[in-house]
PDB file of all heavy atoms in Angstrom:
ATOM      1  N   GLN A   3       4.080   1.549  -0.804  1.00  0.00           N
ATOM      2  CA  GLN A   3       4.896   1.678  -2.002  1.00  0.00           C
ATOM      3  C   GLN A   3       4.052   2.093  -3.210  1.00  0.00           C
ATOM      4  O   GLN A   3       4.509   2.875  -4.046  1.00  0.00           O
ATOM      5  CB  GLN A   3       5.607   0.348  -2.278  1.00  0.00           C
ATOM      6  CG  GLN A   3       6.670   0.443  -3.372  1.00  0.00           C
ATOM      7  CD  GLN A   3       7.795   1.400  -2.995  1.00  0.00           C
ATOM      8  OE1 GLN A   3       8.153   1.503  -1.835  1.00  0.00           O
ATOM      9  NE2 GLN A   3       8.313   2.104  -3.979  1.00  0.00           N
ATOM     10  N   ALA A  15      -0.001  13.114  -0.480  1.00  0.00           N
ATOM     11  CA  ALA A  15      -0.156  11.662  -0.359  1.00  0.00           C
ATOM     12  C   ALA A  15       1.200  10.969  -0.239  1.00  0.00           C
ATOM     13  O   ALA A  15       1.350  10.010   0.528  1.00  0.00           O
ATOM     14  CB  ALA A  15      -0.923  11.120  -1.566  1.00  0.00           C
ATOM     15  N   MET A  30       7.328  -2.019  14.616  1.00  0.00           N
ATOM     16  CA  MET A  30       7.693  -3.419  14.464  1.00  0.00           C
ATOM     17  C   MET A  30       9.068  -3.720  15.033  1.00  0.00           C
ATOM     18  O   MET A  30       9.333  -4.843  15.497  1.00  0.00           O
ATOM     19  CB  MET A  30       7.636  -3.803  12.988  1.00  0.00           C
ATOM     20  CG  MET A  30       6.226  -3.720  12.384  1.00  0.00           C
ATOM     21  SD  MET A  30       5.032  -4.790  13.236  1.00  0.00           S
ATOM     22  CE  MET A  30       5.682  -6.406  12.836  1.00  0.00           C
ATOM     23  N   ASN A  34       8.132  -6.735  17.200  1.00  0.00           N
ATOM     24  CA  ASN A  34       8.346  -7.962  16.424  1.00  0.00           C
ATOM     25  C   ASN A  34       9.552  -8.708  16.994  1.00  0.00           C
ATOM     26  O   ASN A  34      10.677  -8.210  16.973  1.00  0.00           O
ATOM     27  CB  ASN A  34       8.588  -7.606  14.954  1.00  0.00           C
ATOM     28  CG  ASN A  34       8.593  -8.844  14.062  1.00  0.00           C
ATOM     29  OD1 ASN A  34       8.530  -9.975  14.550  1.00  0.00           O
ATOM     30  ND2 ASN A  34       8.669  -8.629  12.764  1.00  0.00           N
ATOM     31  N   ARG A  65       6.773 -18.419   3.786  1.00  0.00           N
ATOM     32  CA  ARG A  65       7.868 -17.450   3.830  1.00  0.00           C
ATOM     33  C   ARG A  65       8.865 -17.753   2.743  1.00  0.00           C
ATOM     34  O   ARG A  65       9.352 -18.869   2.629  1.00  0.00           O
ATOM     35  CB  ARG A  65       8.549 -17.506   5.200  1.00  0.00           C
ATOM     36  CG  ARG A  65       9.761 -16.605   5.295  1.00  0.00           C
ATOM     37  CD  ARG A  65      10.343 -16.638   6.689  1.00  0.00           C
ATOM     38  NE  ARG A  65      11.564 -15.861   6.763  1.00  0.00           N
ATOM     39  CZ  ARG A  65      12.266 -15.703   7.852  1.00  0.00           C
ATOM     40  NH1 ARG A  65      11.874 -16.288   8.975  1.00  0.00           N
ATOM     41  NH2 ARG A  65      13.385 -14.986   7.839  1.00  0.00           N
ATOM     42  N   LEU A 101      31.342   8.365  -5.013  1.00  0.00           N
ATOM     43  CA  LEU A 101      31.453   9.718  -5.544  1.00  0.00           C
ATOM     44  C   LEU A 101      32.895   9.971  -5.971  1.00  0.00           C
ATOM     45  O   LEU A 101      33.818   9.856  -5.162  1.00  0.00           O
ATOM     46  CB  LEU A 101      31.028  10.746  -4.492  1.00  0.00           C
ATOM     47  CG  LEU A 101      29.560  10.732  -4.069  1.00  0.00           C
ATOM     48  CD1 LEU A 101      29.293  11.793  -3.020  1.00  0.00           C
ATOM     49  CD2 LEU A 101      28.655  10.953  -5.268  1.00  0.00           C
ATOM     50  N   GLY A 105      38.990  15.829 -10.620  1.00  0.00           N
ATOM     51  CA  GLY A 105      38.807  16.695 -11.777  1.00  0.00           C
ATOM     52  C   GLY A 105      37.581  17.569 -11.725  1.00  0.00           C
ATOM     53  O   GLY A 105      37.289  18.265 -12.700  1.00  0.00           O
ATOM     54  N   GLN A 110      30.933  22.083  -8.992  1.00  0.00           N
ATOM     55  CA  GLN A 110      30.452  20.752  -9.361  1.00  0.00           C
ATOM     56  C   GLN A 110      30.465  19.797  -8.179  1.00  0.00           C
ATOM     57  O   GLN A 110      29.564  18.954  -8.040  1.00  0.00           O
ATOM     58  CB  GLN A 110      31.306  20.208 -10.508  1.00  0.00           C
ATOM     59  CG  GLN A 110      31.125  20.940 -11.829  1.00  0.00           C
ATOM     60  CD  GLN A 110      32.106  20.472 -12.888  1.00  0.00           C
ATOM     61  OE1 GLN A 110      33.075  19.760 -12.587  1.00  0.00           O
ATOM     62  NE2 GLN A 110      31.870  20.871 -14.128  1.00  0.00           N
ATOM     63  N   ALA A 111      31.482  19.901  -7.321  1.00  0.00           N
ATOM     64  CA  ALA A 111      31.542  19.030  -6.147  1.00  0.00           C
ATOM     65  C   ALA A 111      30.388  19.313  -5.194  1.00  0.00           C
ATOM     66  O   ALA A 111      29.811  18.388  -4.605  1.00  0.00           O
ATOM     67  CB  ALA A 111      32.890  19.222  -5.433  1.00  0.00           C
ATOM     68  N   ASP A 125      17.937   0.429   3.231  1.00  0.00           N
ATOM     69  CA  ASP A 125      17.906  -0.999   2.898  1.00  0.00           C
ATOM     70  C   ASP A 125      16.675  -1.372   2.081  1.00  0.00           C
ATOM     71  O   ASP A 125      16.708  -2.313   1.293  1.00  0.00           O
ATOM     72  CB  ASP A 125      17.936  -1.830   4.187  1.00  0.00           C
ATOM     73  CG  ASP A 125      19.250  -1.644   4.925  1.00  0.00           C
ATOM     74  OD1 ASP A 125      20.231  -1.237   4.264  1.00  0.00           O
ATOM     75  OD2 ASP A 125      19.289  -1.886   6.142  1.00  0.00           O
ATOM     76  N   TYR A 131      15.929  10.788   2.717  1.00  0.00           N
ATOM     77  CA  TYR A 131      16.112  12.218   2.947  1.00  0.00           C
ATOM     78  C   TYR A 131      15.102  13.066   2.167  1.00  0.00           C
ATOM     79  O   TYR A 131      15.291  14.277   2.014  1.00  0.00           O
ATOM     80  CB  TYR A 131      17.533  12.641   2.573  1.00  0.00           C
ATOM     81  CG  TYR A 131      18.597  11.954   3.392  1.00  0.00           C
ATOM     82  CD1 TYR A 131      19.813  11.580   2.819  1.00  0.00           C
ATOM     83  CD2 TYR A 131      18.396  11.674   4.738  1.00  0.00           C
ATOM     84  CE1 TYR A 131      20.792  10.952   3.568  1.00  0.00           C
ATOM     85  CE2 TYR A 131      19.361  11.038   5.493  1.00  0.00           C
ATOM     86  CZ  TYR A 131      20.559  10.676   4.894  1.00  0.00           C
ATOM     87  OH  TYR A 131      21.524  10.047   5.640  1.00  0.00           O
ATOM     88  N   PHE A 148       7.896  29.355  13.992  1.00  0.00           N
ATOM     89  CA  PHE A 148       8.924  28.854  14.897  1.00  0.00           C
ATOM     90  C   PHE A 148      10.299  28.843  14.247  1.00  0.00           C
ATOM     91  O   PHE A 148      11.299  29.154  14.883  1.00  0.00           O
ATOM     92  CB  PHE A 148       8.539  27.443  15.369  1.00  0.00           C
ATOM     93  CG  PHE A 148       9.447  26.902  16.431  1.00  0.00           C
ATOM     94  CD1 PHE A 148       9.322  27.305  17.746  1.00  0.00           C
ATOM     95  CD2 PHE A 148      10.439  25.984  16.116  1.00  0.00           C
ATOM     96  CE1 PHE A 148      10.162  26.805  18.726  1.00  0.00           C
ATOM     97  CE2 PHE A 148      11.277  25.480  17.084  1.00  0.00           C
ATOM     98  CZ  PHE A 148      11.140  25.890  18.400  1.00  0.00           C
ATOM     99  N   ILE A 174      27.371  30.906 -10.862  1.00  0.00           N
ATOM    100  CA  ILE A 174      28.409  31.115  -9.847  1.00  0.00           C
ATOM    101  C   ILE A 174      27.795  30.816  -8.489  1.00  0.00           C
ATOM    102  O   ILE A 174      26.778  31.401  -8.109  1.00  0.00           O
ATOM    103  CB  ILE A 174      28.953  32.552  -9.885  1.00  0.00           C
ATOM    104  CG1 ILE A 174      29.525  32.872 -11.269  1.00  0.00           C
ATOM    105  CG2 ILE A 174      30.015  32.761  -8.829  1.00  0.00           C
ATOM    106  CD1 ILE A 174      29.981  34.305 -11.418  1.00  0.00           C
ATOM    107  N   PHE A 183      29.462  26.604   2.930  1.00  0.00           N
ATOM    108  CA  PHE A 183      28.561  25.556   2.462  1.00  0.00           C
ATOM    109  C   PHE A 183      28.059  24.712   3.630  1.00  0.00           C
ATOM    110  O   PHE A 183      26.872  24.376   3.716  1.00  0.00           O
ATOM    111  CB  PHE A 183      29.294  24.695   1.428  1.00  0.00           C
ATOM    112  CG  PHE A 183      28.456  23.580   0.854  1.00  0.00           C
ATOM    113  CD1 PHE A 183      27.311  23.830   0.129  1.00  0.00           C
ATOM    114  CD2 PHE A 183      28.829  22.253   1.042  1.00  0.00           C
ATOM    115  CE1 PHE A 183      26.537  22.802  -0.397  1.00  0.00           C
ATOM    116  CE2 PHE A 183      28.086  21.215   0.521  1.00  0.00           C
ATOM    117  CZ  PHE A 183      26.936  21.494  -0.200  1.00  0.00           C
ATOM    118  N   GLY A 238      47.429  50.448   6.887  1.00  0.00           N
ATOM    119  CA  GLY A 238      47.781  51.551   6.006  1.00  0.00           C
ATOM    120  C   GLY A 238      48.901  52.373   6.611  1.00  0.00           C
ATOM    121  O   GLY A 238      49.284  52.190   7.779  1.00  0.00           O
ATOM    122  N   PRO A 256      71.307  70.782  35.932  1.00  0.00           N
ATOM    123  CA  PRO A 256      71.301  71.410  37.261  1.00  0.00           C
ATOM    124  C   PRO A 256      72.679  71.425  37.897  1.00  0.00           C
ATOM    125  O   PRO A 256      73.031  72.355  38.603  1.00  0.00           O
ATOM    126  CB  PRO A 256      70.311  70.561  38.055  1.00  0.00           C
ATOM    127  CG  PRO A 256      69.450  69.935  37.017  1.00  0.00           C
ATOM    128  CD  PRO A 256      70.314  69.730  35.832  1.00  0.00           C
ATOM    129  N   ASP A 262      79.329  82.909  41.070  1.00  0.00           N
ATOM    130  CA  ASP A 262      80.308  83.977  40.903  1.00  0.00           C
ATOM    131  C   ASP A 262      80.573  84.601  42.269  1.00  0.00           C
ATOM    132  O   ASP A 262      79.733  85.314  42.824  1.00  0.00           O
ATOM    133  CB  ASP A 262      79.771  85.009  39.919  1.00  0.00           C
ATOM    134  CG  ASP A 262      80.832  86.026  39.520  1.00  0.00           C
ATOM    135  OD1 ASP A 262      81.926  85.960  40.093  1.00  0.00           O
ATOM    136  OD2 ASP A 262      80.523  86.860  38.630  1.00  0.00           O
ATOM    137  N   ALA A 265      80.620  88.576  42.294  1.00  0.00           N
ATOM    138  CA  ALA A 265      79.300  89.201  42.283  1.00  0.00           C
ATOM    139  C   ALA A 265      78.626  89.094  43.638  1.00  0.00           C
ATOM    140  O   ALA A 265      77.927  90.016  44.078  1.00  0.00           O
ATOM    141  CB  ALA A 265      78.437  88.545  41.223  1.00  0.00           C
ATOM    142  N   VAL A 273      74.432  96.051  49.917  1.00  0.00           N
ATOM    143  CA  VAL A 273      73.431  95.954  50.981  1.00  0.00           C
ATOM    144  C   VAL A 273      73.899  96.685  52.226  1.00  0.00           C
ATOM    145  O   VAL A 273      73.156  97.420  52.887  1.00  0.00           O
ATOM    146  CB  VAL A 273      73.118  94.473  51.283  1.00  0.00           C
ATOM    147  CG1 VAL A 273      72.237  94.352  52.526  1.00  0.00           C
ATOM    148  CG2 VAL A 273      72.434  93.834  50.097  1.00  0.00           C
ATOM    149  N   THR A 452      34.940  45.553  19.714  1.00  0.00           N
ATOM    150  CA  THR A 452      35.875  45.695  20.823  1.00  0.00           C
ATOM    151  C   THR A 452      35.200  46.423  21.974  1.00  0.00           C
ATOM    152  O   THR A 452      34.313  47.266  21.767  1.00  0.00           O
ATOM    153  CB  THR A 452      37.134  46.470  20.402  1.00  0.00           C
ATOM    154  OG1 THR A 452      36.748  47.781  19.946  1.00  0.00           O
ATOM    155  CG2 THR A 452      37.869  45.758  19.291  1.00  0.00           C
ATOM    156  N   ALA A 498      34.483  46.207   7.654  1.00  0.00           N
ATOM    157  CA  ALA A 498      35.205  46.591   6.439  1.00  0.00           C
ATOM    158  C   ALA A 498      34.924  45.539   5.371  1.00  0.00           C
ATOM    159  O   ALA A 498      35.040  44.338   5.622  1.00  0.00           O
ATOM    160  CB  ALA A 498      36.705  46.692   6.712  1.00  0.00           C
ATOM    161  N   GLU A 503      33.742  43.819  -7.705  1.00  0.00           N
ATOM    162  CA  GLU A 503      34.619  43.541  -8.828  1.00  0.00           C
ATOM    163  C   GLU A 503      34.980  44.834  -9.559  1.00  0.00           C
ATOM    164  O   GLU A 503      34.119  45.668  -9.852  1.00  0.00           O
ATOM    165  CB  GLU A 503      33.951  42.567  -9.796  1.00  0.00           C
ATOM    166  CG  GLU A 503      33.617  41.211  -9.160  1.00  0.00           C
ATOM    167  CD  GLU A 503      32.950  40.286 -10.151  1.00  0.00           C
ATOM    168  OE1 GLU A 503      32.719  40.720 -11.294  1.00  0.00           O
ATOM    169  OE2 GLU A 503      32.649  39.129  -9.771  1.00  0.00           O
TER     170      GLU A 503
END
Side-chain angles (χ1 to χ4, degrees):
Q3 190 62 34
M30 296 301 294
N34 189 354
R65 176 177 175 179
L101 294 180
Q110 292 173 348
D125 295 339
Y131 299 143
F148 187 79
I174 302 175
F183 181 62
D262 190 355
V273 172
T452 60
E503 299 180 358

